[in-house]
Amino acid sequence: MSYFRAENLSLHFGGLKAVDAVSFAVEKGEILSIIGPNGAGKSSIFNLISRIYRPTSGRIFFEDQDITEQPPYDIAKLGIARTFQNIELFENATVLSNLLVGRHRHSTTQLWQELLFLPSVRANEKVHRRRVEQVIEFLDLEPYRDKLISGLPYGVRKVIELARALCSEPKLILLDEPSSGLNVEETDDMSFWIRDMKSELGVTVLMVEHDMSLVNRVSDRVIALNYGRVLAMGSPAEVQEHPDVVAAYLGA
Amino acid sequence: MLDFVQQLVSGVALGCVYGLIALGFVLVYKATEVVNFAQGDLMMLGGFFAFTFIGMMGLNYWIGFAGAVATMALFGMLAERVVVRPILGYPQFSIIMATIGLGYFLRSVAGMIWGTDDLKIETPFSQGVLRMGSLVLAYDKLSVIAATMILCALLWLFFNKTMLGTAMRASSENMLAAYYMGIPVKRVVSVVWAISAAVATCAGVLLAPITFIHSNVGLVLGLKAFPAAVLGGFGSIPGAVVGGVLIGVIESMAGFYLPEGWKDVAPYVVLLTVLLLKPEGLFGLHVRKKV
Amino acid sequence: MRFLFKTDYEDDIKLFPHSGYIISYGLLLALLLIAPYVLSSYLMSQLVFVCIYATVGVALLILTGFTGQASLGHAAFLAIGAYTAAYLQKYNVPFPVYFLAAGASTGIIGAMVGFPALRLTGIYLVIATISFALIVEEILARWESVTNGNEGMRVKTLSLLGVTVPRDSPTFYYLCLAVLVLTIVGTLNLLRSPTGRAFVAIRDSETAARSMGVNVALYKVKSFAISATITGFAGVLFAHKLSFISPEMFTLQLSIEFIIVILIGGTFSLHGAVLGAIFIVMIDPFLTYLKDDMPGIIAGIAATFGASPATAGNIQSNAAAFASLNGLKGAIYGIIIVLFVLFEPLGLYGRWLKIKLFFQLFPLYKRATFKRQKIYVKSERNR
């Protein structure tokens, strides 16, 4: 059985078929990219996986468990973390507390214990803090620890969002256009980090991306979508040469 | 049955006043995302101006009415310029507080100027009644309903047929884009406040024969107009009037058929129930944040 | 300027980042403890109200400031706490029991309000909480078998462990102070734990909070319940302080006053609740003082600038007549709110931070440091 599997996933808004009977599988430890023109339904697939939308039909499996009906907050608890296309950070909080929210799925303390800040809470906090520090080190975020998000530049925010997702120690991470808005240098860094995530942290990556050079550098496999349907699937080179994909991009 | 119709008409008449205040909320909210908690107080102030012109200076009713509307339109622009424009675009909470502060101020100042007694405006039509068989309907109530209908029609024409109305709709959809298209957004917002204050004044003057004008009337009625606006979806102009009429009818029916105490609470109970079932109000659009 | 070198994760967690905090807060606590022996009984009474208002302010900050759920219905929670205490007193229930019961009942009702509030945001939530408060007010006026209706209820003198504690005794003040301090410490603890961070996450982005595993609905209800419980506790103290409660004390006006507390104090820090409470409670005596003494002072000033005694007397009586106008207090209230929103959006605590930073960075302070980002218009409809 595959690690993560989407079966006949569909999302219809009235007559519009944003996602139409899409099936794919992600193997453990691979980096799978979803490409396609604007409005192809890439982000919608992510929103279906993280349960922001409810699928019109189809099922989603993760580690052989059907997660189609799980409430949205449980998806993170299962070990699926994500980033957002337009950055959804907690603007009026520090970088540190943003990252600590990423640890939320690992918190075990009860409300009354937290009110008294019992030693168990303190011990837990230190564990969280240590894990967060590891991620900060991994992504070179040391200078920003105590800064408020609202004052940080776009490129840094993008990395912080990745960091927040990593803080939850995910098994599968969904990256929604990780390089959008980044300059060439920052995109380079991003590609290294994505590969390191796979090799060092053992995270499986599912990614939506427009930048083909980034896709080519990091992906093990690529899926091409258009109008909510799968056009092609395979290695980056195979997909890019596929006639349907070429047609979709050139508009022929 | 007769009682029912009688209650229905007085409920609709009261509801029209709520609807007119709610209309003011909605106009301002649509144009600027500002929730104006002082809307009821603008109505109160309009009523007092009308009283000054008609009752104290002895002007003709219609001239006094027009004078009050014009004065309040100017006042609405002034309030927008002084209190609202500097904080446009700040968190909604701040803006709500600023308008609450404005309301406090207006209430107190009105109390200082006009005293705390109930005032009554004599109208040319407040005495008569319309008899249809055994059904007796007071002209003052019918006049409120008629005036609301006329006002709604005028507003509809204004928004759909005039250039300024179109500009207003555009800036309410997307202020920045409207600005780029050369619409003088600030002036448009000023005009919206003027219209909203003028509509509130109409409500205040129409209301004067039914309930009296006093410095707290704005707070009391404003608190009923809010449920009306929310019921109507807080963004839809016909919704506001329909919401107002619904609240008015519910209130008047509850006052007649239910035990004492329900009259004041029933609108809120209905409101909470509606919000529970349909959080965006009866006519509201459900918009989801896009990620 | 002080530089902190953190060497342990503990440094990020502890409540007092450095010794300066311990000294200044210790000093403040010491002053508050000796206050009953120094201040007049009138000021002590005001200080008790400051404690109660500040407690409610902290409760409101948890809900509005940190979770981002606006409420204009906190007077109702205060009323429920106060009435629970007054009702249980009739059956000779001891203070600790009805104190906790008041908190619990208010908390449960708070959670119940939280449920319908789950799907509501912004203005809809404000209206819903106003509606809730108005309904509670009406119930209190009508449910005569329990609340004694508009007649109101007497609240017996507090008796703690067999000792009676009159409402103007130092012990009662210490009790209120203790409740406030415990509330603040508890809230600070919460804010450095997962729950507090989840609240802030919900305030800033519900979508992201959800995708990080925060059960948004559950935490919103928790926030409502915690805020209501604290307000319920404050309600018990409020009832004892006034020794008589009736429905018209818990109006929308009071809810607005609570919002003003956090607005004037500053919505981003617990300091704000305390500063705001001091402001709101002390503005009354201050205005009374102005009303009594200001006309004389103005006349005196006029006289020194060469006005004849007759003119000065005239000025004095005119000023006195103006000061005793009925609505003056409301007008001043209104002006204060508007001015704060316009010119000091970060509140009194924000002003304090600015002054502090000014001296720390002197002469390098720039005004732009605290400049609030202004968006041309941020539509909640198109979001």
Side-chain angles (χ1 to χ4, degrees), chain B residues 130-170:
Chain B
L130 177 71
R131 286 178 195 282
M132 288 161 58
S134 48
L135 186 66
V136 181
L137 299 172
Y139 276 137
D140 51 7
K141 289 185 177 148
L142 292 177
S143 70
V144 172
I145 300 174
T148 306
M149 276 155 51
I150 295 169
L151 262 180
C152 287
L154 284 177
L155 281 176
W156 186 86
L157 285 174
F158 175 73
F159 276 106
N160 289 292
K161 301 290 175 196
T162 66
M163 201 62 189
L164 189 57
T166 315
M168 272 178 199
R169 279 191 297 149

Side-chain angles (χ1 to χ4, degrees), chain C residues 147-213:
Chain C
T147 66
N148 210 13
N150 282 320
E151 304 272 293
M153 283 174 102
R154 293 237 140 260
V155 182
K156 281 180 255 172
T157 307
L158 197 157
S159 133
L160 187 58
L161 307 170
V163 186
T164 53
V165 182
R167 63 198 174 108
D168 41 14
S169 67
T171 320
F172 185 71
Y173 160 70
Y174 287 139
L175 181 69
C176 294
L177 187 63
V179 170
L180 173 63
V181 171
L182 287 178
T183 306
I184 290 177
V185 171
T187 310
L188 287 176
N189 282 341
L190 208 58
L191 289 175
R192 53 178 174 161
S193 322
T195 306
R197 288 193 296 266
F199 287 167
V200 173
I202 290 171
R203 175 190 71 191
D204 285 355
S205 168
E206 282 188 26
T207 314
R210 213 172 268 132
S211 77
M212 287 293 111

Side-chain angles (χ1 to χ4, degrees), chain B residues 146-229:
Chain B
T148 306
M149 276 155 51
I150 295 169
L151 262 180
C152 287
L154 284 177
L155 281 176
W156 186 86
L157 285 174
F158 175 73
F159 276 106
N160 289 292
K161 301 290 175 196
T162 66
M163 201 62 189
L164 189 57
T166 315
M168 272 178 199
R169 279 191 297 149
S171 29
S172 83
E173 285 296 323
N174 187 335
M175 206 176 261
L176 198 56
Y179 199 73
Y180 288 154
M181 298 316 290
I183 293 172
V185 172
K186 287 179 180 170
R187 206 180 315 152
V188 164
V189 171
S190 263
V191 175
V192 167
W193 272 76
I195 294 178
S196 139
V199 170
T201 308
C202 292
V205 179
L206 291 171
L207 182 75
I210 303 178
T211 6
F212 301 103
I213 293 288
H214 53 92
S215 56
N216 275 331
V217 75
L219 183 69
V220 176
L221 290 173
L223 280 180
K224 290 277 167 53
F226 262 121

Side-chain angles (χ1 to χ4, degrees), chain B residues 54-122:
Chain B
I54 300 165
M56 288 163 71
M57 292 162 63
L59 292 178
N60 172 283
Y61 179 78
W62 299 106
I63 295 174
F65 197 149
V69 169
T71 317
M72 282 308 293
L74 284 176
F75 185 83
M77 285 167 128
L78 181 74
E80 190 270 338
R81 186 67 197 83
V82 175
V83 177
V84 178
R85 193 175 299 169
I87 50 169
L88 216 55
Y90 282 176
Q92 208 168 39
F93 180 71
S94 312
I95 299 179
I96 289 180
M97 287 316 296
T99 59
I100 286 180
L102 179 65
Y104 254 107
F105 179 72
L106 295 182
R107 270 198 298 285
S108 313
V109 169
M112 285 190 221
I113 297 175
W114 285 285
T116 44
D117 294 336
D118 290 352
L119 302 177
K120 193 175 186 341
I121 301 176
E122 290 303 328

Side-chain angles (χ1 to χ4, degrees), chain A residues 52 72-73 76-77 84 88 90-92 96 100 104 107 111 114-115 117 122 125-126 129 133 146, chain C residues 6 9-10 12-13 189-190 192-195 197 201 203-205 207-208 210-215 219:
Chain A
I52 291 172
Y73 53 85
K77 297 216 164 111
F84 295 87
E88 288 284 329
F90 310 121
E91 288 277 333
N92 301 305
L96 202 54
L100 282 167
H104 190 85
S107 61
L111 184 61
E114 291 171 2
L115 280 171
F117 216 71
R122 190 177 288 267
E125 280 302 302
K126 284 192 184 168
R129 188 65 184 78
E133 199 55 39
D146 293 323
Chain C
K6 295 177 183 168
Y9 293 141
E10 181 73 17
D12 271 338
I13 295 172
N189 282 341
L190 208 58
R192 53 178 174 161
S193 322
T195 306
R197 288 193 296 266
R203 175 190 71 191
D204 285 355
S205 168
T207 314
R210 213 172 268 132
S211 77
M212 287 293 111
V214 176
N215 184 345
Y219 278 93

